[in-house]
Amino acid sequence: MIVDVSKKILIVGLGLLGGSYAKALRRFGFHISAVTLEQSSIDYALREHIIDEGTTELDVNMIGEADLVIFALYPHVFVDWIEKNQGLLKSGALITDVTGIKRSIVYRIQDMLRPDVEFIAAHPMAGREVSGVENSTDKMFIGANYIVTPTEKNTPEAIQTCMELGRLLGFSNVTTLSPEEHDEMIGFLSQLTHCIAVTLMVCNDKENMEKFTGDSFRDLTRIARINDLMWSELFVDNKDILLEQMNLFIDKFIELKTMLEAEDIAGMRAMMRHSTERRALFDKQ
């Protein structure tokens, strides 16, 4: 469906990701509309030709005409929107999302959704340390990963459309995982790293340290400038898995600490060599 540029795309939540989706998809000639809370976001997007039309209201016609609806909302807001407003969606519409957690929302939404509307979940593994449509850019998708998380309720056509969407957006790697596999992976690769960055940023409050820092500290704490509302929700929604990953990290940190206390240089060097080998696998090609 997505390759047909006559299809209308609606973005609900015109922030950083929603705006970036719109910029990427406009290049192909799709008609892009948006519903979001702030009129200033709509005004900016119209002025910059990011969208064709937009509103802060639940516009019956705009929502009802959309063939593909992309929800760029916090998880609980997304669930609440579907619960209250799914009657506005057209029969046959396909909906997808950008949320960073899946188990807590995918099954819940699919269970409550009308049978003539299909939800295929996805997670664009891309972002910036700023927010708002004013900071949107389709460039952040280049070299990034896009994960589609289908369930048994999804049709092959919907899965294919969602994967094609990821390719059109410019993601370098488009793949599928179950919601459970996704949350396990994301608990380590994203959520744990944010926990580490936040903890590192606040564990030493000595004044004027920013005047002496090097690139290593800046690189490690880049994601410490964090959206506390969104990330605290993501942490709680994935609490069981995130706690497991935090314990794994703590165990390894204690192992390194113990080797340092014992001046076990051979042990530390072995861990560092293992780290170097593993890190090479994560370098972008």
Side-chain angles (χ1 to χ4, degrees):
M1 180 184 76
I2 191 65
V3 294
D4 185 352
V5 296
S6 68
K7 301 296 185 180
K8 292 188 175 182
I9 298 176
L10 170 67
I11 297 173
V12 182
L14 195 64
L16 176 67
L17 274 174
S20 298
Y21 268 51
K23 284 183 175 180
L25 294 172
R26 281 271 287 181
R27 296 177 307 183
F28 298 96
F30 289 105
H31 181 280
I32 309 292
S33 58
V35 177
T36 200
L37 287 176
E38 300 296 332
Q39 184 61 45
S40 59
S41 297
I42 295 296
D43 294 341
Y44 176 87
L46 288 171
R47 187 168 61 250
E48 297 297 319
H49 306 291
I50 298 172
I51 61 174
D52 294 287
E53 57 180 340
T55 179
T56 60
E57 307 293 332
L58 289 173
D59 188 301
V60 175
N61 292 328
M62 189 180 297
I63 297 172
E65 291 175 355
D67 301 289
L68 174 68
V69 185
I70 300 164
F71 286 90
L73 304 171
Y74 291 172
H76 76 280
V77 179
F78 178 27
V79 172
D80 185 63
W81 198 102
I82 294 297
E83 194 169 33
K84 294 179 180 178
N85 305 309
Q86 63 170 295
L88 301 176
L89 299 168
K90 72 183 294 185
S91 180
L94 182 66
I95 68 175
T96 189
D97 69 330
V98 304
T99 53
I101 198 73
K102 295 306 177 193
R103 290 177 303 161
S104 62
I105 66 166
V106 172
Y107 301 111
R108 186 176 175 187
I109 288 178
Q110 287 185 337
D111 285 345
M112 75 169 69
L113 198 60
R114 292 160 35 198
D116 61 334
V117 175
E118 185 171 353
F119 170 43
I120 175 68
H123 183 190
M125 295 287 290
R128 303 178 69 192
E129 290 70 58
V130 290
S131 61
V133 66
E134 298 85 356
N135 294 301
S136 60
T137 171
D138 57 336
K139 301 296 188 296
M140 69 180 177
F141 301 144
I142 300 173
N145 298 315
Y146 181 87
I147 305 172
V148 181
T149 58
T151 74
E152 61 182 12
K153 290 191 174 183
N154 286 122
T155 62
E157 293 77 15
I159 297 170
Q160 185 59 41
T161 294
C162 195
M163 295 184 73
E164 179 64 18
L165 173 63
R167 297 186 187 100
L168 288 179
L169 289 168
F171 286 91
S172 299
N173 185 41
V174 178
T175 189
T176 62
L177 291 173
S178 70
E180 290 77 16
E181 291 170 326
H182 169 274
D183 287 1
E184 181 179 5
M185 294 289 288
I186 221 68
F188 176 72
L189 294 172
S190 180
Q191 294 181 340
L192 177 62
T193 55
H194 281 78
C195 289
I196 294 169
V198 168
T199 305
L200 183 59
M201 197 72 249
V202 301
C203 71
N204 188 333
D205 285 339
K206 187 174 182 178
E207 293 183 0
N208 299 317
M209 292 183 69
E210 67 276 5
K211 297 179 181 178
F212 309 106
T213 188
D215 288 341
S216 59
F217 187 83
R218 278 189 289 266
D219 289 345
L220 277 171
T221 58
R222 177 182 62 83
I223 55 176
R225 191 163 65 178
I226 192 169
N227 181 331
D228 58 287
L229 180 62
M230 179 182 74
W231 281 98
S232 60
E233 179 177 348
L234 294 176
F235 286 176
V236 171
D237 282 349
N238 206 30
K239 175 183 174 181
D240 56 339
I241 289 175
L242 180 55
L243 286 174
E244 289 178 7
Q245 301 303 325
M246 293 175 80
N247 285 330
L248 288 174
F249 176 80
I250 291 169
D251 289 345
K252 278 298 177 183
F253 195 88
I254 291 174
E255 182 181 337
L256 179 58
K257 178 175 179 286
T258 301
M259 287 189 289
L260 176 59
E261 289 171 339
E263 298 186 11
D264 180 3
I265 294 176
M268 288 190 292
R269 290 187 63 189
M271 182 180 283
M272 291 173 184
R273 287 194 298 271
H274 187 199
S275 169
T276 299
E277 292 170 358
R278 286 285 295 158
R279 182 60 181 83
L281 301 176
F282 290 78
D283 290 336
K284 291 183 178 179
Q285 301 300 315

